[in-house]
Amino acid sequence: MRALFRSPTGLGALLVALVILAYLPSIFCGFIWDDDVGIINNENLRTLDGLGRIWSDPSKTPQGHYWPMVYTTFWLEYRLWGLNPAGYHVVNILLQAINSLFLWRLLLRLEVPGAWFVAALFGVHPIQVESVAWIIERKNLLCGFFSLSTVLLFMMFMAKKSWTAYIGAIVLFVFAMLSKSSAFSLPFVLIILVGWRYPKEFLKRYCWTLPFLAIGTVIAWWDVSLVQKKEVIEHGLSWFDRLVISGKAFWFYPFKILIPANFVAVYPKWEVESFSKIDLVWPISVTLVGMLLLALAWKGRPGVLTAYALYAVLLAPTVGFVDFGFMALSFVADRFVYLACIPLFALVVGGMRMVIQQSGNRGFWQIVIGGLLGVLVLFSAIQCRVYKNQETLVRHNLKKYPEAWIVRYNFAIDLASLERYDEAVEQYEKLILSKPDFIDARNNLGTLWVRLGQPEKAEKQFLEILRIDPDNARAYQNLGVLQARRGDFQAALQNYRRSLAIDPGNESVKEAISGLTRRLELNEKNSP
């Protein structure tokens, strides 16, 4: 038995088994955020000619991005199991297992110490649960599959000058870009690996990465332009804000990997208004550590610098230098580090190997490693259950981070849409306690109080909005509605006119003013 698990076949089987155990509970999970847009309500999946539209009509692509490889897999799966989420979850688990095997093979080729252990950490660490248990994150898994394959074939070409491998690497890179445009960082990964593996021939060999850079630039530019045509995404961040965000994000993930706890879908968003000059310590520390590692590399220890640079390059598309939609909710997410965690795991394993070599007690450390993997598998299996449905995901998020106000706000909206008004009121009231000047929350709460037949509480919210923002047209309109319902037509007309003065284009207010004016005129005629 011991000989079996020392063989490549046995180790591969063990790796696959660990991955399956880690994510098995996700098979019993349903659809959650964005799964409705990408799968449930995606008309392209319903018909045979939908496959053609997935590739030929980018304007009809859900979420705005041109990622036809991802939706092609969904189209195929819809033919097999329709809207049964279990099938999609099984495919995600299998992709994670395959990616772990590919990573192991790649690390062996790169002669990275502890290759199997690094691949196992990549396969089962809880930070990967979001990418595996969330169906729409197929884009991460598929992009990872093609990216790892690309690097593997490219390094084979570097070693043997196999043109088949090189052409295959280019094709697979295109597939990676058509799965998720963040694969744009892959050419820089290849450049770093060439510099690490062939330092004396770098200038001669790096030119082979240039076609990847050109292809990636074109596809990434096209994808961004498609998204901008649907919706211009700008978060109004200064370069100072972006520098601080990038530095904080850079150090956020190593801590999550070393302390695998409190994983959520939406982490509290850092308040950029509170950033000060002292926060520059985050990006400055990134630079200083890089310079220190560069000095070590000059002394013949380039491995740590290589891992550090790979982490930085793989993470770069998501650290805030380029605006994207999710930044409205948070600046960090577990899925952003899906591939970027690999060099971090390599550093962890490298450090452990140094300790093991110094201690000399290999048997003890084998038990420790086995126990660590077992604990991570258990943690991931538990984390998968959080993704059972959207409500369990949100409640878990709010339990771990009650200050994640935007999660609570969206949860309250969802509850109200399900006509669970009392629960929605509870969430809005909690939100207002932490953000008393949040006008949208107060307006929605006031509207709910109207629906629940408590106009006095509704009026209190609308008046509080006007205290915060005296020029809030919607609050004047809502006050007018309340006053008209209780028969105070003069006061209602006055508030409607105030609303119209602020928002002259509001047709519903114009109709309300017209109706009230006629009613008041009629009352005057009929009065004795």
Side-chain angles (χ1 to χ4, degrees):
M1 182 64 70
R2 182 176 296 180
L4 173 64
F5 286 111
R6 286 179 177 174
S7 69
T9 302
L11 288 171
L14 178 59
L15 185 57
V16 171
L18 289 172
V19 171
I20 292 174
L21 285 174
Y23 304 107
L24 189 62
S26 69
I27 293 175
F28 306 101
C29 297
F31 295 110
I32 55 170
W33 285 329
D34 291 343
D35 289 342
D36 55 343
V37 176
I39 301 171
I40 298 174
N41 301 323
N42 188 349
E43 291 299 324
N44 286 338
L45 307 186
R46 303 288 186 272
T47 60
L48 292 177
D49 61 351
L51 180 61
R53 289 194 299 273
I54 287 172
W55 286 89
S56 63
D57 191 354
S59 65
K60 299 293 174 58
T61 302
Q63 299 179 305
H65 291 280
Y66 184 65
W67 294 334
M69 294 300 300
V70 176
Y71 294 107
T72 296
T73 65
F74 289 152
W75 183 89
L76 290 170
E77 289 170 77
Y78 188 82
R79 316 259 81 72
L80 297 174
W81 38 72
L83 291 178
N84 184 347
Y88 299 90
H89 283 299
V90 168
V91 173
N92 274 14
I93 295 171
L94 292 177
L95 277 171
Q96 179 66 358
I98 293 170
N99 287 349
S100 300
L101 290 172
F102 275 26
L103 176 60
W104 177 35
R105 177 69 185 272
L106 173 61
L107 294 176
L108 286 174
R109 172 164 286 277
L110 295 175
E111 299 178 343
V112 174
W116 185 90
F117 189 26
V118 175
L121 290 174
F122 168 82
V124 304
H125 195 285
I127 204 167
Q128 306 288 47
V129 169
E130 182 174 80
S131 294
V132 181
W134 191 351
I135 295 172
I136 201 64
E137 286 308 311
R138 171 72 56 79
K139 55 182 177 280
N140 248 10
L141 299 167
L142 208 58
C143 179
F145 171 80
F146 290 122
S147 296
L148 292 169
S149 304
T150 297
V151 178
L152 183 59
L153 286 180
F154 182 83
M155 296 313 294
M156 289 173 62
F157 167 73
M158 285 286 102
K160 300 180 180 180
K161 284 294 187 292
S162 167
W163 287 103
T164 302
Y166 186 69
I167 294 171
I170 291 177
V171 171
L172 290 172
F173 173 61
V174 171
F175 289 167
M177 289 294 301
L178 296 179
S179 300
K180 191 176 183 181
S181 47
S182 61
F184 173 72
S185 60
L186 205 56
F188 301 97
V189 169
L190 299 179
I191 291 171
I192 293 169
L193 291 176
V194 169
W196 174 46
R197 298 295 294 171
Y198 305 99
K200 295 181 179 180
E201 302 177 33
F202 176 72
L203 294 177
K204 178 181 177 182
R205 290 177 177 262
Y206 97 99
C207 61
W208 295 109
T209 67
L210 296 181
F212 295 87
L213 188 60
I215 292 169
T217 301
V218 171
I219 297 178
W221 174 83
W222 188 40
D223 183 61
V224 169
S225 65
L226 288 173
V227 175
Q228 295 290 343
K229 284 181 182 178
K230 282 195 172 184
E231 179 185 5
V232 177
I233 300 174
E234 293 181 356
H235 296 293
L237 299 170
S238 67
W239 276 105
F240 173 80
D241 296 333
R242 295 180 191 278
L243 279 174
V244 174
I245 290 167
S246 65
K248 294 186 74 170
F250 188 92
W251 295 118
F252 175 84
Y253 299 106
F255 283 105
K256 296 300 292 184
I257 283 173
L258 293 174
I259 306 173
N262 297 330
F263 295 101
V264 294
V266 182
Y267 292 98
K269 186 178 179 180
W270 300 319
E271 299 290 345
V272 296
E273 296 82 5
S274 66
F275 287 172
S276 63
K277 291 182 179 179
I278 192 65
D279 288 303
L280 285 173
V281 69
W282 295 102
I284 289 173
S285 64
V286 174
T287 304
L288 290 177
V289 172
M291 293 172 64
L292 175 63
L293 296 178
L294 182 61
L296 289 175
W298 279 110
K299 294 182 179 180
R301 299 176 183 176
V304 178
L305 176 63
T306 300
Y308 191 80
L310 287 172
Y311 169 61
V313 162
L314 287 166
L315 193 63
T318 65
V319 294
F321 290 117
V322 178
D323 287 337
F324 52 93
F326 188 76
M327 288 171 65
L329 305 180
S330 180
F331 296 123
V332 289
D334 296 343
R335 61 187 179 276
F336 293 168
V337 78
Y338 178 71
L339 289 177
C341 67
I342 295 171
L344 296 180
F345 289 137
L347 289 174
V348 170
V349 173
M352 291 182 66
R353 280 177 61 87
M354 291 176 62
V355 173
I356 293 171
Q357 288 172 355
Q358 290 180 2
S359 68
N361 192 344
R362 296 179 62 87
F364 168 77
W365 284 104
Q366 286 177 347
I367 295 173
V368 170
I369 290 171
L372 175 61
L373 288 176
V375 169
L376 292 176
V377 167
L378 178 61
F379 283 3
S380 291
I382 294 172
Q383 183 69 14
C384 281
R385 297 178 182 180
V386 170
Y387 290 79
K388 180 179 179 181
N389 55 55
Q390 190 153 314
E391 184 168 344
T392 58
L393 182 66
V394 171
R395 289 194 181 278
H396 170 80
N397 209 128
L398 293 174
K399 179 181 178 181
K400 297 295 182 182
Y401 295 98
E403 67 272 27
W405 61 269
I406 200 160
V407 176
R408 193 179 299 279
Y409 177 64
N410 289 330
F411 186 37
I413 292 174
D414 290 341
L415 290 171
S417 68
L418 295 171
E419 299 184 359
R420 293 162 62 178
Y421 300 129
D422 291 337
E423 294 176 75
V425 165
E426 179 186 2
Q427 295 300 326
Y428 279 127
E429 288 181 333
K430 288 181 178 178
L431 177 55
I432 289 170
L433 281 175
S434 61
K435 290 182 72 70
D437 293 343
F438 191 3
I439 288 175
D440 287 344
R442 286 190 178 276
N443 183 75
N444 293 353
L445 178 58
T447 303
L448 280 178
W449 282 132
V450 172
R451 187 165 290 178
L452 292 169
Q454 299 196 46
E456 297 82 7
K457 291 184 177 180
E459 186 172 6
K460 180 180 177 181
Q461 293 300 325
F462 299 142
L463 289 172
E464 186 62 23
I465 290 173
L466 291 173
R467 183 193 66 78
I468 299 167
D469 177 15
D471 294 326
N472 191 286
R474 188 165 54 172
Y476 282 119
Q477 180 182 0
N478 287 333
L479 278 175
V481 171
L482 286 177
Q483 291 159 342
R485 285 184 179 180
R486 66 175 179 236
D488 191 353
F489 300 132
Q490 290 289 354
L493 189 59
Q494 185 179 16
N495 280 312
Y496 279 139
R497 285 170 175 165
R498 287 172 177 168
S499 177
L500 191 62
I502 299 168
D503 182 12
N506 193 325
E507 295 298 327
S508 63
V509 172
K510 290 179 182 178
E511 292 175 6
I513 290 173
S514 177
L516 274 181
T517 301
R518 288 195 302 269
R519 185 161 187 168
L520 287 171
E521 291 173 351
L522 184 62
N523 287 348
E524 282 186 15
K525 289 181 181 180
N526 293 335
S527 61

